[in-house]
Amino acid sequence: MNVHSEGGVRVPGTILVVGSGGREHALAWRLARDPGVERVVVAPGNAGMIADAEVAADVLAGDGIGLVALARRIHADLIVIGPEAPLVAGLADDLRAAGLAVFGPSAEAARIEGSKTFCRQIARAAGVPVADGGSFTDPVAAVLYAQGLDGPVVVKADGLAAGKGVIVCDSLDEARRAIRAVLVERAFGAAGSRVVVERLLRGPEASVIAICDATTALALPAARDHKRIGEGDTGPNTGGMGAVSPPDELPDEALAAVLRSVHRPVLAELVERGTPFRGALFAGLMLTARGIRLLEFNARFGDPETQAILPRLAVPLAPLLLAAASDRLAATASALGIADGRLPSDAGASAAVVLATPGYPEAPVTGAPIDGLEAADFQRSDVVVFHAGVAAGADGRLVTAGGRVLSVVGLGPDGASAAERAQMAAAQVTFPGVQRRRDIGQLTRDVAARELLVSAGVTADGRSAGDAS
C-alpha cells in the first residue's frame, strides 16, 4: 500500500476505477492529475482512456473475484466504483470483505437507487419533500391512482433501467399505456416488476452530487443534464445527451442549503436503519415555485454530469474519496479548508456535449470509425474529450462501440461560452449517423422562469392556470 501525506491529507498512490464509460474516464482523468497519485488503473476501461490511465480490459465491472485479484496485484490503495448495477448487486460489499478501501455504497445503501419505492420511503422518513405518488405491482391499481391525481403524471420503473425508465404522461390514456408497458409488457425487464406513479412536478431540474461517508456530505458543483435524445427536449429518454455546470438557478453558493435539507437528513436516516452510505449520493432535484422537490436519488456519480463537473473542481479529489471510504471525511475537509460543505470550484462554467450512435437509445448501430478526434482534442485548456462507447478497430483507429460514444466538454467564463466551445469541438468529430444535441446549455433564465410560472399555476399572460406542483 502507498497511502501517503500531501499537504496534511492522506492520498492514495494507486487507484483502481471500475467501469468503462465517459464518467469513469472523467474520474480517471481527474484522479491522475491529483498531487500524490502515482497510478490509475481502469477496469475494464476502454481504448480511448489509455492517454490518462492504464486499462485492464480483461476484468469486467461485475467480476468481484477478478477485481479483488487485480486490486491486490496492483496494490490498490483505493477502489472507486462508477456504474450503478455492480453497486446494487453488492460489489462494494465483496471488495470491502476482502479488506480493500472502497468508494461506493453497500448493496443495502445502494437500494436508494435500485428501488424508487425504497428511495421514496427514505426521503419521506428523512423529511425530504417529494411529489405525491405511490408504488404498485397491480396495473389496475396503478391506473386508478393515476386517475386520482387528476393531471399529468410520471410513470417510473421501480428498478434500474439505465436512465430510461421514466415516462412523462400528459393524459390518463398516456399513463395507462405507460403502466401497461412497464408492468405487463415489461419494457424495462425486471426493473419493471413494480411501478411508481407520481404527480408531475414542473420547474427547472438540477443535480447535486455529494461525496459522503456515514455522517458527512460534501457537495460537488451542481449540474443539469439533458435526458431526451432530441433538441428542445423531444423524443425518448436516454442516459443523458449532455450536461452543464452550474445551472443558472442553482449557483455554487446555494449548495450548503441543499446539503442541510436533502443529503444530510438522508444520511442520518440510513445510519438509523443500519445501512450507512459511503460513496457519491446524487440528488436529482426539481426547483419548483414551492421550493426544492426530490425527483430521485442515485448511488453514484452521474453520467454525463461528472464529465461537466470534474473539470471545474478546484480541490484534489483523491484524498476526499479515500477519506469517505474510511469515515474520515470531516477531518479531511477541515484540513483542506472546506468549512461549509461546498467543494470549491474554478470560476466560470462547463458544458458537456454527448455524441451518440445512430439508433440510440433503442438500437444503437456500432462499429463505425471515428474521425476528427485529433482536431477536437488539441490539448486546449478549454476543451476536454472523454471516451465512453469506443473500441480499437482492426487498423488501430477508434470505432464506435456503444450508444453514447464521447463527451466533449467546453470550459468558459459563463455557460454560453462554455457551450459554444463544446459545440465547436464536438462538430469536428464525425462518424456515420452521429447524433448530437446542439441546444445543450440553452435553457436560459427566461425559459426557467417560464417553467416556474407554470409550476406556480400562472400562464404566459399572467392568468391563473391551477397549481401543477
Side-chain angles (χ1 to χ4, degrees), residues 222-469:
R224 170 179 293 126
D225 77 335
H226 296 60
K227 279 290 186 189
R228 294 185 181 271
I229 189 69
E231 294 180 16
D233 283 334
T234 59
N237 271 347
T238 71
M241 290 300 293
V244 296
S245 177
D248 287 339
E249 307 77 26
L250 196 64
D252 295 342
E253 295 75 18
L255 296 180
V258 175
L259 290 177
R260 287 194 301 270
S261 61
V262 178
H263 295 79
R264 288 173 186 154
V266 165
L267 290 180
E269 178 63 25
L270 289 171
V271 167
E272 180 71 19
R273 294 177 181 231
T275 57
F277 189 100
R278 298 176 180 89
L281 184 58
F282 174 131
L285 307 172
M286 185 72 80
L287 312 179
T288 78
R290 291 185 170 181
I292 289 176
R293 297 292 184 270
L294 178 73
L295 296 175
E296 63 178 357
F297 275 121
N298 293 330
R300 37 74 190 183
F301 289 105
D303 185 343
E305 292 93 343
T306 301
Q307 292 91 301
I309 290 169
L310 291 188
R312 294 190 63 220
L313 190 62
V315 65
L317 180 63
L320 294 170
L321 302 189
L322 179 63
S326 52
D327 288 338
R328 297 173 176 168
L329 196 54
T332 300
S334 177
L336 291 171
I338 301 165
D340 62 357
R342 293 187 297 123
L343 294 176
S345 62
D346 289 326
S350 61
V353 175
V354 170
L355 305 186
T357 53
Y360 179 76
E362 291 90 353
V365 178
T366 61
I370 304 169
D371 294 312
L373 278 170
E374 297 79 7
D377 188 14
F378 30 71
Q379 304 303 313
R380 289 175 48 171
S381 61
D382 58 1
V383 174
V384 189
V385 177
F386 296 122
H387 296 76
V390 303
D395 60 358
R397 296 173 61 194
L398 290 179
V399 301
T400 60
R404 293 186 294 172
V405 178
L406 302 166
S407 294
V408 181
V409 181
L411 300 166
D414 52 52
S417 59
E420 181 181 7
R421 290 169 187 175
Q423 294 289 356
M424 288 178 62
Q428 298 178 70
V429 183
T430 61
F431 48 85
V434 59
Q435 297 190 81
R436 167 170 62 97
R437 280 188 59 169
R438 291 163 176 80
D439 62 347
I440 300 301
Q442 291 181 12
L443 182 62
T444 65
R445 285 185 172 88
D446 289 342
V447 173
R450 287 199 296 273
E451 287 283 347
L452 287 172
L453 284 175
V454 171
S455 79
V458 180
T459 63
D461 60 4
R463 293 178 300 166
S464 174
D467 187 1
S469 69

Side-chain angles (χ1 to χ4, degrees), residues 128-154:
V128 177
V130 296
D132 294 337
S135 177
F136 306 91
T137 55
D138 177 14
V140 174
V143 170
L144 288 173
Y145 184 82
Q147 184 176 10
L149 289 177
D150 192 25
V153 300
V154 180

Side-chain angles (χ1 to χ4, degrees), residues 10 15 48 55 67 86 89 100 111 182 191-192 207 245 364 372 378 394 439 450 452:
R10 298 169 72 248
I15 302 173
V55 173
L67 288 167
L100 300 166
R111 285 181 65 207
V182 176
S207 304
S245 177
F378 30 71
D439 62 347
R450 287 199 296 273
L452 287 172

Side-chain angles (χ1 to χ4, degrees), residues 73-101:
R73 185 165 69 250
I74 66 173
H75 304 290
D77 303 303
L78 175 67
I79 303 174
V80 180
I81 303 173
E84 61 270 26
L87 287 168
V88 171
L91 177 60
D93 302 277
D94 295 339
L95 298 175
R96 286 194 182 99
L100 300 166

